Amino acid sequence: MSVPATSPAIGERERTVVTRLRVADGALLGPVLCRVVSMVLARADWPLDRLEEALLVCDALCAQAGEQAGTQQPTFSVQADESHAELLVRGLQAQAAQRLLDHRLPLVGNVLERLAEAVSIQADEDGLGVCLTIALSAHRAE
Amino acid sequence: MTPDMELALPARAENIAIVRHALGGFAEAYAIPPAKLSDIRLAVTEACANVVVHAYPEGEEGEMEVLATVQDGSITVRVRDWGHGIRPRPDSPGLGLGLSLIAALAETVQLGHDNQEHTEVTMTFSLSEEPPSTNGTGG
């Protein structure tokens, strides 16, 4: 089992990590992912308004990621420190990940464009799919 | 069988709260009664605390994994680690009541290793409203 690569933005100290969350049914994803992410960010002392926005990102992902993942349910990882967080969605097909990012649709891409600090797609470690990385900031850019 | 939920985290005390909240989300999705959820959370908390305190040598960080499956009117929760297994520990910092508490709360408890050398505590909880007729440990 591999722990996800750490972004340089996420410091080694006071880092709260969930290395893997996978659910078999899309209906489980929303209740479980949102609780896990809120706990991780609360543990990292995030301001409530930014925590709430991070949960909006999770809600949007939950609404679409299962549908876009095909037969295999995606795996989520989250890590955070007091200023940054990174949410990784693994096991997506490249086209599905691209569809998630399509900001012209009033779905996930639109939410990510407004609320995420950065979003990127890389080849997954297992070589079978891609990994969508969503960087979030605890403080709004001035 | 593929579990309905699989959660892996570093085996640290502060992460047990994340497990408890994830179980809350799981219970919401499956409409598990609050009293049953309390029992499940308490038993899983004890199992995770055992991993945090006993599984890995001091100074070494390992992982704990929680897997939950609902099937045939019951929920099975497995708590796994990759530590040195369950063994007597005279210098244990705990009260030594964790496994007894788990056994009292769950319908069945199994302790052991799986085929990938995980140390694993498997707990089954009935989701029916009736009180269980038996309460024992196995494995």
Side-chain angles (χ1 to χ4, degrees), chain A residues 86-101:
Chain A
E86 218 173 51
L87 179 63
L88 289 87
V89 190
R90 297 178 187 279
L92 291 169
Q93 292 180 344
Q95 281 186 332
Q98 209 58 59
R99 273 199 298 274
L100 284 176
L101 297 188

Side-chain angles (χ1 to χ4, degrees), chain B residues 49-78:
Chain B
N50 281 344
V51 174
V52 170
V53 177
H54 300 294
Y56 300 101
E58 206 162 323
E60 182 185 308
E61 186 162 276
E63 197 168 63
M64 65 181 168
E65 196 174 73
V66 178
L67 304 101
T69 305
V70 171
Q71 193 178 32
D72 299 332
S74 65
I75 172 171
T76 300
V77 184
R78 285 180 282 161

Side-chain angles (χ1 to χ4, degrees), chain A residues 1 19-20 22 24 35 43, chain B residues 4 6 8 14 63 65:
Chain A
M1 169 187 330
T19 57
R20 191 175 68 248
R22 182 162 48 208
R35 278 173 167 82
R43 177 74 64 194
Chain B
D4 293 328
E6 193 178 327
E14 66 263 29
E63 197 168 63
E65 196 174 73

Side-chain angles (χ1 to χ4, degrees), chain A residues 17-18 65 68-69 84 102:
Chain A
V17 185
V18 169
Q68 302 292 355
H84 293 91
D102 189 344

Side-chain angles (χ1 to χ4, degrees), chain B residues 9-99:
Chain B
L9 322 95
R12 293 187 212 145
E14 66 263 29
N15 285 343
I16 297 175
I18 297 176
V19 174
R20 290 170 59 84
H21 278 261
L23 286 171
F26 190 83
E28 181 188 309
Y30 280 108
I32 293 173
K36 182 59 67 177
L37 173 62
S38 295
D39 286 354
I40 295 169
R41 274 179 161 163
L42 184 51
V44 173
T45 297
E46 286 296 329
C48 290
N50 281 344
V51 174
V52 170
V53 177
H54 300 294
Y56 300 101
E58 206 162 323
E60 182 185 308
E61 186 162 276
E63 197 168 63
M64 65 181 168
E65 196 174 73
V66 178
L67 304 101
T69 305
V70 171
Q71 193 178 32
D72 299 332
S74 65
I75 172 171
T76 300
V77 184
R78 285 180 282 161
V79 177
R80 286 176 174 170
D81 65 70
W82 285 258
H84 48 47
I86 297 168
R87 56 188 182 188
R89 188 176 163 187
D91 65 334
S92 171
L95 296 173
L97 299 174
L99 288 176

